C-alpha cells in the first residue's frame, strides 16, 4: 500500500515535471521551423545545392585538415577517429566534458583534442581552421535531429542559458525572446525574424561574405540591439548555446546553412 | 586558393555538359575600410579561364562587385576524354588552378 502510494507520488511528480517542461517551451515542437524556412527561395536553393553552397568550401577544407598531422605528437584527427565516427556527434552539443565536468561546444571539443591528445596549439575562435573543422564535423550530422541533454551537470548551465535568453539588454532593452519567441515570422527592416535556431551553424552569411560560428551570429544580434558583446568562448555564450539547442530539440542539422 | 569543380564524370560525344566552379577568394572590393579607417586594397580575381584538353572553351573577366567566393556555371560540348583545367589570377598576381577529368564515349 505504502509502496503503491509512493509510486503514485512519483508518477505525479514526473507528470508535473513534464507539464512544467512543456509549458517552458514558447514554441511547441510541432511549430519548430528552421531559419532556412524564412529565407528567400534563392538562398534556400543555394543552401540545398551541395555543390554551390559556399559553406562547402570550408567543409572540404575541414576534410583535408582532418587527416593533416599536427602537434608535438604528430597525430591527425584521423589517427584516432574513423572517418564515419562523427555522425550524430554535432547534434549532441553543447555537452558536459566528462574529464573536466565543464560545458563545451563543438569548437571547444575539437580544441580539447588538439591540446589534450595531440599536444597542439588550440585553434582560435573564428579562425579559418576551426570553422573548417567544426563545419566538417557538423556536416556529418546532416539531417539528424538536435538531441542535447540538460540533465545532471548540464542542468545548471541550461538554467543559466534560459535566464540569459530572457534577459533584457542593450540600449533597446530587448531579450532574445522578444524577437525569436514573440515576433518570429515578422519583418525587421529587410529581414524576416526566424525562431533563432542553431541548427545551421557554422553558416555562410552573405553579409559576412564568409562562414561564421553560432557565437558570431549571437554577437551580431547583441550588436543589433546595442548590447555588450562578450568575448568569444565566454561561459554565458555556452549556456545560451545549450538553451538554444534545447529550444530546437528535434530540428535537423543543416550545416553549413546559407543566410542573408 | 581552393576551388571545387563539378562536371559529369562520363558523357557521350557531342553531349552538352554543365560545368560549375566555386572558388574560395575574398573578392575584396577596394571600397571597404578597415577598423582604423584605412582603405583595404582591392583584390579580386580578374581573369578566369577554362581549357578543355588545352583549348580555351571559356573565359571571364571578373571585377569588383562580384561576391566573395565566386560561383560560375557554363555549358560546353563533350568532345573527347581528357581534362578541363581552370586557371585564374587576382589583382595581387596570385594564381590558382584546378582540374577535373572526363571520360567521353561514342
Amino acid at each position: 500500500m505504502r509502496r503503491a502510494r509512493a509510486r503514485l507520488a512519483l508518477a505525479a511528480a514526473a507528470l508535473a515535471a513534464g507539464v512544467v517542461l512543456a509549458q517552458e517551451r514558447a514554441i511547441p515542437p510541432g511549430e519548430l521551423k528552421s531559419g532556412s524556412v524564412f529565407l528567400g527561395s534563392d538562398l534556400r536553393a543555394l543552401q540545398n545545392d551541395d555543390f554551390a553552397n559556399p559553406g562547402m568550401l570550408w567543409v572540404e577544407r575541414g576534410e583535408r585538415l582532418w587527416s593533416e598531422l599536427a602537434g608535438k605528437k604528430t597525430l591527425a584527427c584521423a589517427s584516432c577517429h574513423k572517418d564515419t565516427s562523427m555522425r550524430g556527434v554535432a547534434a549532441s552539443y553543447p555537452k558536459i566534458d566528462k574529464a573536466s565536468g565543464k560545458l563545451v561546444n563543438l569548437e571547444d571539443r575539437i580544441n580539447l583534442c588538439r591540446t589534450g591528445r595531440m599536444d597542439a596549439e588550440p585553434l582560435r575562435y573564428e579562425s579559418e581552421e576551426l570553422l573548417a573543422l567544426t563545419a566538417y564535423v557538423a556536416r556529418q550530422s546532416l539531417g539528424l535531429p538536435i538531441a542535447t541533454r540538460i540533465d545532471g551537470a548540464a542542468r545548471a548551465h541550461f538554467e543559466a542559458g534560459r535566464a540569459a535568453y530572457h534577459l533584457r539588454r542593450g540600449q533597446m532593452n530587448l531579450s532574445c525572446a522578444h524577437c525569436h519567441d514573440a515576433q518570429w515570422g515578422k519583418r525587421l527592416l529587410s529581414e524576416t525574424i526566424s525562431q533563432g535556431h542553431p541548427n545551421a551553424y557554422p553558416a555562410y552569411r552573405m553579409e559576412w561574405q564568409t562562414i561564421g560560428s553560432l557565437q558570431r551570429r549571437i554577437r551580431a544580434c547583441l550588436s543589433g540591439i546595442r548590447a555588450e558583446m562578450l568575448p568569444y568562448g565566454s561561459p554565458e555564450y555556452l549556456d545560451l548555446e545549450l538553451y538554444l539547442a534545447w529550444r530546437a530539440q528535434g530540428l535537423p542539422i543543416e550545416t553549413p546553412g546559407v543566410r542573408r | 586558393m581552393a576551388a571545387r569543380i563539378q562536371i559529369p564524370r562520363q558523357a557521350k560525344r557531342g553531349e552538352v555538359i554543365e560545368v560549375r566552379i566555386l572558388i574560395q577568394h575574398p573578392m575584396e572590393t577596394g571600397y571597404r575600410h578597415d577598423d582604423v579607417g584605412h582603405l583595404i586594397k582591392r583584390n579580386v580575381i580578374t581573369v578566369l579561364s577554362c581549357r578543355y584538353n588545352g583549348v580555351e572553351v571559356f573565359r571571364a573577366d571578373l571585377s569588383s562587385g562580384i561576391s566573395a567566393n565566386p560561383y560560375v556555371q557554363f555549358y560546353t560540348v563533350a568532345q573527347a576524354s581528357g581534362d578541363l583545367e581552370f586557371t585564374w589570377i587576382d589583382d595581387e598576381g596570385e594564381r590558382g588552378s584546378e582540374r577535373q577529368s572526363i571520360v567521353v564515349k561514342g
Side-chain angles (χ1 to χ4, degrees), chain A residues 11-222:
Chain A
L15 206 68
V19 169
V20 168
L21 276 179
Q23 280 173 346
E24 279 174 348
R25 290 183 187 273
I27 304 172
E31 278 180 47
L32 285 182
K33 287 181 176 50
S34 167
S36 53
V37 171
F38 302 90
L39 296 171
S41 55
D42 50 342
L43 286 189
R44 202 160 47 241
L46 189 59
Q47 172 173 308
N48 294 335
D49 184 333
D50 284 357
F51 179 79
N53 179 336
M56 291 303 287
L57 287 164
W58 280 263
V59 172
E60 263 193 10
R61 171 132 192 235
E63 186 177 2
R64 287 195 299 277
L65 287 171
W66 180 257
S67 40
E68 242 173 53
L69 300 174
K72 293 206 187 90
K73 295 195 178 153
T74 46
L75 288 171
C77 314
S79 315
C80 297
H81 298 289
K82 284 204 207 80
D83 283 353
T84 51
S85 62
M86 291 292 142
R87 180 133 180 94
V89 168
S92 69
Y93 276 75
K95 192 187 206 162
I96 297 289
D97 167 44
K98 285 207 191 83
S100 65
K102 282 193 179 146
L103 184 70
V104 296
N105 61 12
L106 197 53
E107 286 90 341
D108 296 335
R109 177 62 252 186
I110 291 168
N111 269 333
L112 278 179
C113 274
R114 279 185 60 93
T115 53
R117 310 218 170 243
M118 302 163 79
D119 225 334
E121 290 286 307
L123 298 168
R124 201 173 41 77
Y125 256 102
E126 295 315 288
S127 65
E128 292 284 301
E129 291 87 352
L130 189 55
L131 287 166
L133 274 172
T134 310
Y136 172 65
V137 171
R139 177 71 180 180
Q140 292 171 55
S141 295
L142 183 69
L144 294 181
I146 293 189
T148 39
R149 304 190 53 163
I150 56 164
D151 54 349
R155 189 75 207 184
H157 293 285
F158 169 76
E159 298 297 349
R162 175 167 49 192
Y165 185 87
H166 291 97
L167 179 73
R168 286 179 176 269
R169 19 171 133 229
Q171 280 183 327
M172 297 193 180
N173 203 28
L174 291 171
S175 76
C176 315
H178 283 113
C179 285
H180 293 300
D181 286 348
Q183 302 293 337
W184 61 267
K186 300 199 184 135
R187 291 187 71 81
L188 181 68
L189 302 174
S190 65
E191 295 200 276
T192 306
I193 300 175
S194 76
Q195 297 177 348
H197 294 307
N199 59 318
Y201 287 78
Y204 189 93
R205 201 169 162 213
M206 293 300 159
E207 191 184 309
W208 297 333
Q209 297 269 295
T210 187
I211 206 170
S213 69
L214 178 58
Q215 291 195 10
R216 183 167 180 190
R217 175 63 247 189
I218 295 173
R219 284 164 62 94
C221 285
L222 290 173

Side-chain angles (χ1 to χ4, degrees), chain B residues 4-104:
Chain B
R4 314 179 77 206
I5 299 176
Q6 192 181 58
I7 54 170
R9 288 187 186 283
Q10 279 192 17
K12 283 199 226 98
R13 191 179 308 278
E15 190 182 331
V16 174
I17 55 164
E18 187 183 67
V19 182
R20 310 165 92 193
I21 180 164
L22 179 67
I23 308 175
Q24 189 159 25
H25 194 281
M27 295 297 280
E28 193 56 65
T29 59
Y31 297 113
R32 295 195 317 147
H33 294 84
D34 65 15
D35 291 344
V36 288
H38 294 138
L39 203 64
I40 304 174
K41 234 172 92 188
R42 186 184 110 145
N43 183 23
V44 303
I45 293 174
T46 48
V47 184
L48 169 67
S49 147
C50 174
R51 290 169 176 273
Y52 185 176
N53 286 337
V55 180
E56 188 168 80
V57 291
F58 176 86
R59 181 188 200 57
D61 293 331
L62 307 186
S63 57
S64 170
I66 290 175
S67 70
N69 309 308
Y71 165 65
V72 174
Q73 176 182 339
F74 65 92
Y75 296 87
T76 190
V77 177
Q79 285 154 345
S81 295
D83 277 352
L84 266 80
E85 188 188 17
F86 281 89
T87 52
W88 59 94
I89 182 165
D90 68 14
D91 284 322
E92 290 181 355
E94 199 177 325
R95 289 166 190 279
S97 71
E98 196 73 55
R99 63 170 67 216
Q100 186 89 46
S101 53
I102 181 168
V103 175
V104 176

